[in-house]
Amino acid sequence: MYTEDIYTAAAAICGEESEFLRLLCTAAEEELTYRLKSDISPGDIEEIFIAAASLLAVSMFKGTSSGADGIKSFSAGEMSVTYFGGEGTDSSGGSLRETAELLIARYVDDDGFAFRGI
């Protein structure tokens, strides 16, 4: 429904266009649409919805495009920790997702809580 608007905004944020980014925009739109409260539609909050979905798509894009350059590992005995991303959350898209979550927070049923792998 809003995929093209989301894609336009996401491409502007990224400074590039790609079919993969377009696919992630579709995924972001579906994720946020699913999470909206039952009495709210994307059209009710169109500008906020497009902004949040585009930031979410860019966060996914940045997280997947960081590549092997950002992998850092540490092992101690049987425990191993691997960090995927750049020097900060901005390069991996983490703060972009947080911003998207803040924008949409009052319109979704959940509070952004998610289990994360260790």
Side-chain angles (χ1 to χ4, degrees), residues 4-112:
E4 280 305 310
D5 294 328
I6 295 166
Y7 176 69
T8 300
I13 294 167
C14 284
E16 65 180 276
E17 297 180 10
S18 75
E19 286 305 309
F20 183 58
L21 179 59
R22 186 180 303 276
L23 177 68
L24 293 174
C25 288
T26 301
E29 179 179 16
E30 288 181 14
E31 176 183 333
L32 292 184
T33 299
Y34 175 78
R35 290 176 52 201
L36 288 175
K37 293 178 181 178
S38 61
D39 61 337
I40 297 176
S41 73
D44 295 337
I45 55 167
E46 185 174 333
E47 290 181 3
I48 292 170
F49 184 83
I50 291 169
S54 63
L55 288 171
L56 182 59
V58 172
S59 76
M60 292 186 280
F61 185 74
K62 296 278 187 188
T64 58
S65 65
S66 63
D69 294 337
I71 299 175
K72 297 179 182 178
S73 298
F74 173 78
S75 296
E78 292 182 20
M79 184 180 89
S80 176
V81 176
T82 304
Y83 170 73
F84 295 91
E87 294 301 315
T89 57
D90 287 337
S91 63
S92 65
S95 70
L96 293 171
R97 177 175 270 282
E98 289 172 11
T99 303
E101 293 289 344
L102 287 173
L103 284 173
I104 203 81
R106 64 186 287 198
Y107 305 105
V108 295
D109 281 327
D110 59 62
D111 60 0

